[in-house]
Amino acid sequence: MKVRHFISGMACASLLAGGLLVGAAQAQDSIYVPLFTYRTGPYANSGIPIANGMHDYLTMLNERDGGIGGVKLNVEECETGYDTKKGVECWEQTKDKHPTVVNPFSTGITLQLIPKASVDKIPILSMAYGLSASAVGKDFPWVFNPPATYWDGMSMIIRYIGNKEGGLDKLKGKKIGFIFLDAGYGREPIPLLEQLAKDYGFEVKLYPVAGKEMQDQSGQWLSVRRDRPNWMIMWGWGAMNPTAIKRASENGYPMDHFIGIWWSGSDDDARGGGQAAKGYLALNFSGLGSNYPAIQDIKKYVVDKGKSQVEKDKFADTFYNRGVYNTAIVAEAIRNAQKITGKKVVDGTDVRRGLETLNITPARWKELGFPDFGAPVKVTCDDHNGHSPAYMQQWDGTKWVKASDWIEPMKDKVDPLLEKAAADYVKSNAGWPKRTEACDKSS
Amino acid sequence: MHVEKQRPAGSALMHFLYLIFIDPFVQMAQAPDLLAQTLWEGLVSGMLYALIALGFVLIFKASGVFNFAQGIMVVFAALTLVGLYEAGVPAFLALALAIVVMFILAFVVERSVLRPLVGQPDIILFMATFGITYFLIGFGEIVFGGDPKVMITAPLYLPKGAITYHTLGGMVQLQKIDIAAAVIASLMVAGLAIFFSRTRIGRALRAVADSHEAALSVGISLEQIWVIVWFAAGLVALVTGIFWGARSDVSFALEVIALKALPVLILGGFTSIPGAIVGGLIIGLGEKIVEFYWGPLVGGGTDAWFAYVIALLFLLFRPQGLFGERIIERI
């Protein structure tokens, strides 16, 4: 009996030691990229395609190129369920493994993690979500939100509406409805919308949708019918989006006057509405379809080899490509970090510098296998966002099609508000650390 | 620049009172078509809330257990139906198989959860329904994945489109799927009410609800009753899933609609089938009217909390609900 205990004890110890050694070796020989994803829970319909896109692009880099700069990427998903508490738990679980960057994929989680980033020396990439004010690099050296903030997005939508009405001055006296998920994410663009309403003389009608009401919304759309806004704008997520699109079409709202932010424009969002949703518009900043060399490489090296969780008919749909876009930025930041530091295996401190020198020109997008996939993205020490343009996509009844050229954000309107919001954030968070990180030359 | 005129304090108060007590009724009189539309939306929502609440009531009546798993049963039933259809099973066969799956679920729950816990305090059984919930979430995600699915309304011959009446000085629009939901929910409720009040099994159920021990002593099979009741709750979940899924999509997000049943149950009573209906209608109508006419005064979004305010008031003045049994315990 004792001998058996001894043998099994030795076996356990060997396994443990082996595991530790392998872990240590992996830590030394790979670049750790945790992905905060949500394949479960009420927002999984938005989370799954993004998770697949992120995972598959990084896997493709491992399979095709052997990682980045000859170093394999250690990609690990942490399931948040779009739950802020679980997101913070994911941070705590991963922070000791030297993550290069964290993508929270939730504004609520991002807001909780922002104060932790500078303490744990882990940069946060909240790609076109999170706290708009975190674009101000001098106050938020560890947070990045390229290619555009929510406020940029709102200003692009208002610019688009203005163009359709014959000029921004024609907005005077118009009524614009704003239906939004009643959470940090949905409320984020309201200050800018109200400012633009003052500047251009239009009236704003707000229609908040609570998380547990997102599959009903009959009350909100009844109010829309009464108020008769000329245009409707949506900041929805998860099941809120398809429900709103269905309600809008049922209520006879003109779908080509209903515009969603880039998180309200997935294929699943519009698919449920089918032909009735024809004409619905949404902003987008990543390419449509699979006609890009890098996307084809994902198919060849990952999907066709059974290394992806994506369903064949959902490969390269809108949110899948959005996930790819996110990790294309991560990969480019890692390359930058390797270039700046001369190290092969980089950590969060290095990748923060890589993000701060991000400069993806059209030529660079092409080199990466993404010709015209996104607008140029330039991040600097002061500007952690880039304020890149986006375009309008439109549902044709079966698929999204490009419906506009690149729409520039109203930087003159957004920047002063961003500066003020950043200053307010710093003021209201007593002891907020002053930036000590030096700016790199290329920044 | 637009400058709002300052109102004198007294005038501001009068205006505020006007907005609360007069203006909504003026709006109702001025646009009766919108009032009719609001009432219709409230009725439809109310019937759908009642359906969710009904699932809770059935199980609570039979076992005194608040079934936390009712929400996920709605998701599971709807996903089974759509999942089978997507796998190539014809729609009505998928519907029949989904019913069979809900029966199997009832049987398994009785055998593996309820039977071993006979005689345990209610809180233990309540906690066990948490276990069932999380098991079904995990199992459902493994089997069906987390991707949303579109409810198969057309293959099930559920109507689409709307009937529009140009009346009351405007337009009242009734979605055909909502009419179908209201009719089917009403028939289902009536059928269940008759089943549980007129049949031998129904009388046995009521006996079990009054006292497990007394019911056992007269030869009523507790196990059989539990299977029947959980199966009935499963059927209700399937119908609920079909109509809520048709309004939005079929995904795990549907689980949160179970929260809407709580105020309905508090209002109608945990043990009353008619209570679930009346409670659902009051909550549905109340929240839609309040959101539409008074919501703008507080920035909208009243439907997120108004139902709970009504429930709270009922808890204060009539804790057993409108139709619930008053509990008198000797001390």
Side-chain angles (χ1 to χ4, degrees), chain A residues 83-94:
Chain A
D83 180 328
T84 301
K85 290 191 297 296
K86 286 188 192 168
V88 175
E89 281 170 22
C90 282
W91 178 277
E92 295 300 328
Q93 280 169 26
T94 52

Side-chain angles (χ1 to χ4, degrees), chain A residues 213 218 225-226 243 246, chain B residues 37 171 248 260 288 292:
Chain A
E213 299 296 327
S218 51
R225 188 176 143 190
R226 173 192 55 200
T243 311
K246 276 188 184 178
Chain B
Q37 188 76 55
M171 179 188 82
S248 178
K260 293 303 289 195
K288 294 291 177 274
F292 190 71

